[in-house]
Amino acid sequence: MVTNLADLVADAAAERPAHPALVVGDRTLTWSQVEASVDMAAAGFQGLGLRPGDRVALVLVNSAEFVAAYFGALRAGLVAVPVNTGSTQPEVEFVLGDSGARAVVFDRTSAAAVRGAVPGAGGPIRVVVGAPAPGEVAFGSFTGGARVHETDPESLALLIYTSGTSGRPKGAMLTHRALRASVDQVHALANPPVTAGDVVLLVLPLFHIYALNGTLAAVARSAATLVLLDRFDPIETLEAVRRHRVTNIPGAPPMFVAWSTEPGLREAFETVRLLMTGAAPMPAAVLEQISTATGLPVFEGYGLTEAAPGVSSTLVGGRAKPGSVGRALPGVELRLVDDHGEAAEEGDPGEICIRGDNLFSGYWPDGAGGPDADGWYATGDVAYEDDEGDLVLVDRRKELIIVSGFNVYPREVEDALVSHPSVAEAAVVGVPHPYTGEAVKAYVVARPGANISTDELTEHVAGRLARFKLPTIVQVVEQLPHSATGKVAKGRLRESGQ
């Protein structure tokens, strides 16, 4: 039985030592080579004096070094703390300080932010991929084999910071048990998304749970092949799909939006058998464009960091269904509850509550905000079940706007806005109002070459929504801020004061 998530790599190396594991640029590493790199990383961390339970921050782009450092940290009994490579110096400083990281592994992409956050002696040990500055350790200097560490499956493996809708990020605590359970739940599907013969394209950032556990760990479990890219370019990624004969693509909406306008998509996806998306809602029009252009359905899923990440997928029913995120994965219990904590009426929206071995253990450092005494976790997301029992997301409960006592779900207003032919993207937030408590404010981005008339847009939405849901303020902007996986960063919109 796997007790340490890094055992997945050892098992893959034992089963298929010569099989390609990682393709990174011109480099191809077999599973035996990946296993050796993981063991060296674990030994290197141990050689620095790090002990089980110590936190190691990883501020790395998608690379073979990230894979080695991540699984190496877990093998040594350490807690990995992935950090967004786009973080500023204060953001890196916050995560390092809040997590109490004993070491930080980084590359040239994040060197300035890390070195600024850790200016000298007395802070975390700086381990750099590349040439070290004075006082730093070169990741490439790690040698030797790791000392055996017996792992309790309930010990902390991953501390991953969630952006939240406001305030400081919080570290979600995920154990080896939770991480492995999520991988196994997806693998238990009648048609698992990753099998031994698959070649999986991963351009989503490994500092995000969707890529880290939803994809990397799944590939290791099946001893499949991972084509790893460090940035998304629509033309370059399509070339990688052709060259490496990719079979599976887990993506996020911005990727599919960019691909939908590229010619020759069907030819590029000739070897692809499975397209998946998650992390943010996918516009129905884009789903239709991709399916028409490639002949492939796009399966959608729903998950969150606290669930490591899988909750539901249209893969469960075996049929892509635009507008739905499917049914609960095997081993995940799901229920919808109303504002009083009671089961939502059939067909009515309710907050998604989940239970399963994949759930986190609360937020760092004391486990606050985790599952209740019965194992249920309230996600803050609102959905309803359609007449076939599939889940349809409505919105974030925390982003609910209350106008004169009536609930307004931003997603519903955003859908109405983007149905206008001149609107490329929209984001809706609540703003204070002296009479109604809150009012609806919309930010909209025009399609190329289009001019947006706010009066016309308001009239368009008025034909689709009740009066109290209509935006009272419509602001046209050049672009919306996004997270690494394509979600609109509404917190940044609010902070900007636009």
Side-chain angles (χ1 to χ4, degrees), residues 389-460:
D390 290 310
L391 208 61
V392 178
L393 292 178
V394 177
D395 222 313
R396 286 287 298 171
R397 189 180 187 86
K398 292 176 184 176
E399 293 177 358
L400 183 70
I401 303 168
I402 302 178
V403 178
S404 299
F406 294 98
N407 291 350
V408 178
Y409 295 106
R411 170 79 180 276
E412 186 179 15
V413 184
E414 289 159 359
D415 286 346
L417 288 164
V418 298
S419 68
H420 190 283
S422 295
V423 177
E425 193 174 19
V428 166
V429 300
V431 293
H433 192 280
Y435 303 116
T436 60
E438 283 188 294
V440 178
K441 180 176 182 178
Y443 298 86
V444 296
V445 179
R447 291 188 180 277
N451 291 316
I452 293 178
S453 162
T454 55
D455 289 341
E456 180 187 332
L457 189 57
T458 302
E459 184 180 345
H460 173 82

Side-chain angles (χ1 to χ4, degrees), residues 78-465:
L78 307 174
V79 180
V81 187
V83 181
N84 188 322
T85 53
S87 298
T88 62
Q89 178 183 320
E91 289 169 329
V92 172
E93 200 164 0
F94 169 76
V95 172
L96 296 181
D98 189 71
S99 66
R102 288 282 318 281
V104 54
V105 187
F106 63 101
D107 54 30
R108 61 181 178 83
T109 303
S110 52
V114 172
R115 286 168 176 153
V118 190
I125 302 166
R126 297 193 312 207
V127 181
V128 64
V129 174
E136 295 177 348
V137 177
F139 184 75
S141 68
F142 286 175
T143 59
R147 298 188 301 275
V148 175
H149 168 72
E150 295 296 330
T151 304
D152 179 350
E154 294 301 319
S155 62
L156 187 58
L158 183 63
L159 184 59
I160 190 161
Y161 281 76
T162 61
S163 57
T165 55
S166 62
R168 288 287 199 177
K170 297 183 292 185
M173 302 193 300
L174 290 160
T175 63
H176 288 271
R177 175 262 306 158
L179 295 170
R180 178 58 196 261
S182 183
V183 175
D184 287 346
Q185 287 162 355
V186 176
H187 194 76
L189 289 168
N191 294 298
V194 181
T195 62
D198 281 317
V199 178
V200 181
L201 179 78
L202 182 60
V203 67
L204 298 169
L206 281 168
F207 58 71
H208 192 277
I209 191 68
Y210 180 14
L212 188 62
N213 204 53
T215 306
L216 173 63
V219 169
R221 190 195 190 286
S222 295
T225 302
L226 189 70
V227 178
L228 197 57
L229 302 179
D230 68 354
R231 69 185 187 92
F232 177 76
D233 176 275
I235 296 174
E236 290 177 5
T237 49
L238 289 182
E239 177 54 35
V241 170
R242 292 188 191 94
R243 184 166 67 253
H244 301 295
R245 300 187 66 78
V246 165
T247 61
N248 296 32
I249 303 177
M255 293 169 54
F256 292 103
V257 170
W259 279 334
S260 66
T261 59
E262 290 296 323
L265 205 58
R266 183 180 291 265
E267 179 188 354
F269 283 7
E270 183 182 6
T271 59
V272 176
R273 72 172 184 87
L274 185 60
L275 298 175
M276 298 168 287
T277 185
M282 175 77 102
V286 177
L287 284 171
E288 185 178 352
Q289 280 180 287
I290 292 291
S291 295
T292 301
T294 65
L296 295 167
V298 182
F299 290 91
E300 293 188 80
Y302 161 68
L304 56 157
T305 300
E306 293 85 349
V311 174
S312 70
S313 174
T314 50
L315 286 166
V316 176
R319 178 169 64 93
K321 190 175 180 180
S324 167
V325 291
R327 302 167 197 167
L329 293 165
V332 176
E333 295 178 73
L334 186 153
R335 65 185 186 188
L336 304 178
V337 301
D338 61 20
D339 292 339
H340 305 290
E342 303 295 330
E345 294 289 334
E346 186 175 349
D348 284 352
E351 183 175 8
I352 302 171
C353 294
I354 53 177
R355 182 165 66 179
D357 288 340
N358 57 316
L359 287 186
F360 77 140
S361 303
Y363 295 105
W364 178 264
D366 56 4
D372 66 18
D374 295 321
W376 287 98
Y377 176 66
T379 66
D381 291 318
V382 177
Y384 65 88
E385 287 185 347
D386 67 14
D387 54 8
E388 294 181 322
D390 290 310
L391 208 61
V392 178
L393 292 178
V394 177
D395 222 313
R396 286 287 298 171
R397 189 180 187 86
K398 292 176 184 176
E399 293 177 358
L400 183 70
I401 303 168
I402 302 178
V403 178
S404 299
F406 294 98
N407 291 350
V408 178
Y409 295 106
R411 170 79 180 276
E412 186 179 15
V413 184
E414 289 159 359
D415 286 346
L417 288 164
V418 298
S419 68
H420 190 283
S422 295
V423 177
E425 193 174 19
V428 166
V429 300
V431 293
H433 192 280
Y435 303 116
T436 60
E438 283 188 294
V440 178
K441 180 176 182 178
Y443 298 86
V444 296
V445 179
R447 291 188 180 277
N451 291 316
I452 293 178
S453 162
T454 55
D455 289 341
E456 180 187 332
L457 189 57
T458 302
E459 184 180 345
H460 173 82
V461 176
R464 289 160 172 75
L465 298 175

